[in-house]
Amino acid sequence: MRKWPSFVVALLVSSITFAQNKSASPQASLKDAYKDCFMVGAALNPAQFTGEDQAEDAIIESQFNTISPENVLKWAIIHPSPDAYNFSPADKYVEFGEQNHMFIIGHNLVWHSQVPKWVFEDDKGNPVSRDVLLGRMRDHIMNVVGRYKGRIKGWDVVNEALNDDGTLRQSQWLKIIGDDYIEKAFRFAHEVDPEAQLYYNDYSLENEAKRRGALELVKKLKAKGVAITGVGLQDHVSLEWPTTDQIDATITEFGKLGVKVMITELDVDVLPSASHTADVSYKAASDPKLNPYPNGLPDAVQQALARRYADLFGTYAKHCGLVTRVTFWGVTDKNSWKNNWPIPGRTNYPLLFDRNAKPKPAFDAVIQLAPKHGS
Ligand code: G3I
């Protein structure tokens, strides 16, 4: 495992000047640059894995060695009604990953969002019993994980089960099954594919209270012998939050519990904050003051974004081997969810590639910081 002393990271960061308005080396590749440290990936949408978006495919194939599905494996899409599975988009996603020899992630099995109402209700619209819901969860996991057994290598088994204060979210899963629903989901997934890596995935785990809750959860699962491989820190971050010290401490603390850490949904929001929560159900009203860069990102902000990305990758690379994967939540700024959340129709700049699929100064910054850049 490579550990970089923090002064080396600081020196590297301070010595970097980020190219402005100039393309990064077309040969530079994130996956090669970080190959001794962690895998680098992106979340994909159907236009990318069906070959419709060739500009983005060129980036995906040259830059990434792992992929996540932005939406197609979510319950509402893959299992919209009790007896109907819509496997076709997910099949294409998995085929794309195999054709490109990528480590394929499944996202996700049990979440409070994007689950159809029928899952929790009987035919009269009343809540189902614990046993019925456990049966539905088990069938879903058996069918979905079973279909891609040996092909999808790692699953976000439970997504976003915690509140900001570290307590368990009052989801339908919790209300109907009780707090062992998390353990059950992991046990079902392990039963059907014992070789698959299994993760707990959440946002804002860098904040003290929520992190404590997640650490307790992982401890309890491990004490019960549940097969949890790792924790996903989503890292939907801003230019200021969380600090790299918070990220560093979070990675270290999960590492002490004997689980791997993955950065699973990385992006950096450069727009004024319109929300105090990262909950996907939150919506805010449109306001031009909250959309200040509709025609392009000023150089000063472009530079701040590059410095932020350098700091983030410096922090992740301090934990090579413990951090096993860094996945961006999208490929280019054009399709990022950040353009539509929490306010629809904003122009955001959260990723390393711009709206024309060109690398940004932040891309250069990340490459320059890597142990093997440009190879
Ligand atoms: O599929 C329908 C389509 O039929 C319809 O015409 C269209 C109209 O709005 O909506 C489509 O569904 C959208 C879906 O994405 C697929 O594009 C939903 O409205 C939209 O809410 C959904 O947003 C996704 C969101 O999760 C909710 O599932 C985002 O793309 C996706 O980036 C986001 O990803 C989440 C992670 O799964 C968990 N962590 C947070 C992260 C960001 O919110």
Side-chain angles (χ1 to χ4, degrees):
M1 178 194 310
R2 183 193 304 258
K3 273 257 173 198
W4 293 359
S6 45
F7 73 88
V8 175
V9 174
L11 270 176
L12 278 167
V13 172
S14 63
S15 68
I16 290 170
T17 50
F18 304 119
Q20 289 203 47
N21 306 322
K22 182 171 96 183
S23 289
S25 156
Q27 284 82 35
S29 146
L30 296 164
K31 67 180 175 189
D32 290 341
Y34 285 88
K35 78 169 188 273
D36 294 337
C37 209
F38 40 65
M39 295 181 284
V40 186
L44 305 191
N45 62 46
Q48 294 155 342
F49 53 74
T50 57
E52 244 177 73
D53 194 333
Q54 297 203 349
E56 299 213 357
D57 281 355
I59 297 176
I60 296 160
E61 287 161 24
S62 63
Q63 296 297 328
F64 302 122
N65 49 16
T66 173
I67 52 172
S68 298
E70 188 172 358
N71 286 299
V72 294
L73 274 161
K74 290 175 182 171
W75 195 310
I77 293 173
I78 203 163
H79 192 182
S81 53
D83 300 315
Y85 281 89
N86 170 31
F87 285 125
S88 168
D91 286 353
K92 294 198 174 73
Y93 159 74
V94 173
E95 282 158 21
F96 178 89
E98 287 181 334
Q99 278 158 13
N100 291 292
H101 313 289
M102 290 163 161
F103 189 90
I104 304 171
I105 299 296
H107 172 87
N108 54 55
L109 295 170
V110 174
W111 191 23
H112 64 278
S113 182
Q114 301 285 98
V115 186
K117 267 168 67 158
W118 68 260
V119 176
F120 305 108
E121 293 178 353
D122 65 18
D123 20 342
K124 298 195 182 65
N126 297 316
V128 291
S129 66
R130 165 182 162 92
D131 284 350
V132 168
L133 188 54
L134 275 174
R136 287 180 181 173
M137 180 203 273
R138 185 172 187 282
D139 282 351
H140 178 83
I141 291 176
M142 291 292 144
N143 286 328
V144 176
V145 177
R147 184 174 182 91
Y148 304 110
K149 183 173 176 170
R151 302 172 72 198
I152 289 187
K153 305 286 188 189
W155 281 97
D156 290 335
V157 178
V158 176
N159 197 45
E160 303 175 3
L162 293 165
N163 294 313
D164 287 343
D165 67 2
T167 58
L168 284 178
R169 185 192 287 272
Q170 289 293 312
S171 66
Q172 296 289 78
W173 299 109
L174 182 78
K175 286 184 193 155
I176 298 174
I177 297 176
D179 61 8
D180 63 341
Y181 85 88
I182 298 174
E183 171 189 340
K184 295 285 186 194
F186 275 87
R187 290 200 192 281
F188 296 150
H190 188 60
E191 182 187 340
V192 59
D193 189 353
E195 302 297 319
Q197 298 188 0
L198 304 181
Y199 318 127
Y200 175 71
N201 189 51
D202 212 332
Y203 58 84
S204 301
L205 295 182
E206 292 79 4
N207 290 345
E208 187 67 22
K210 191 162 182 179
R211 187 197 316 170
R212 294 278 143 240
L215 288 163
E216 279 314 304
L217 175 64
V218 172
K219 268 190 220 159
K220 276 190 200 148
L221 291 173
K222 289 196 72 95
K224 289 180 169 176
V226 171
I228 174 169
T229 322
V231 168
L233 310 182
Q234 293 187 1
D235 278 10
H236 295 294
V237 302
S238 71
L239 288 171
E240 296 85 27
W241 173 90
T243 64
T244 47
D245 283 350
Q246 282 176 293
I247 298 174
D248 191 32
T250 307
I251 295 169
T252 302
E253 287 183 45
F254 283 109
K256 283 186 193 152
L257 299 185
V259 287
K260 298 291 186 191
V261 177
M262 286 121 224
I263 310 304
T264 53
E265 305 188 10
L266 178 61
D267 47 28
V268 179
D269 197 331
V270 299
L271 299 185
S273 171
S275 147
H276 297 295
T277 168
D279 199 307
V280 74
S281 62
Y282 181 81
K283 296 258 183 300
S286 179
D287 174 349
K289 282 203 289 298
L290 299 177
N291 188 28
Y293 317 125
N295 303 315
L297 197 60
D299 278 347
V301 189
Q302 193 78 269
Q303 290 295 307
L305 180 68
R307 281 193 301 275
R308 178 64 161 152
Y309 263 114
D311 287 346
L312 289 169
F313 272 75
T315 308
Y316 303 149
K318 270 176 74 182
H319 297 279
C320 282
L322 169 55
V323 171
T324 56
R325 170 167 63 93
V326 177
T327 296
F328 294 89
W329 204 243
V331 177
T332 73
D333 290 340
K334 182 178 68 175
N335 293 323
S336 166
W337 74 293
K338 282 283 178 182
N339 296 311
N340 291 306
W341 185 91
I343 299 175
R346 291 201 296 176
T347 308
N348 212 332
Y349 301 82
L351 296 165
L352 298 189
F353 295 89
D354 69 17
R355 286 176 163 69
N356 298 314
K358 295 278 180 283
K360 293 155 63 173
F363 172 82
D364 292 344
V366 170
I367 290 286
Q368 285 177 45
L369 196 75
K372 287 180 173 233
H373 63 87
S375 58

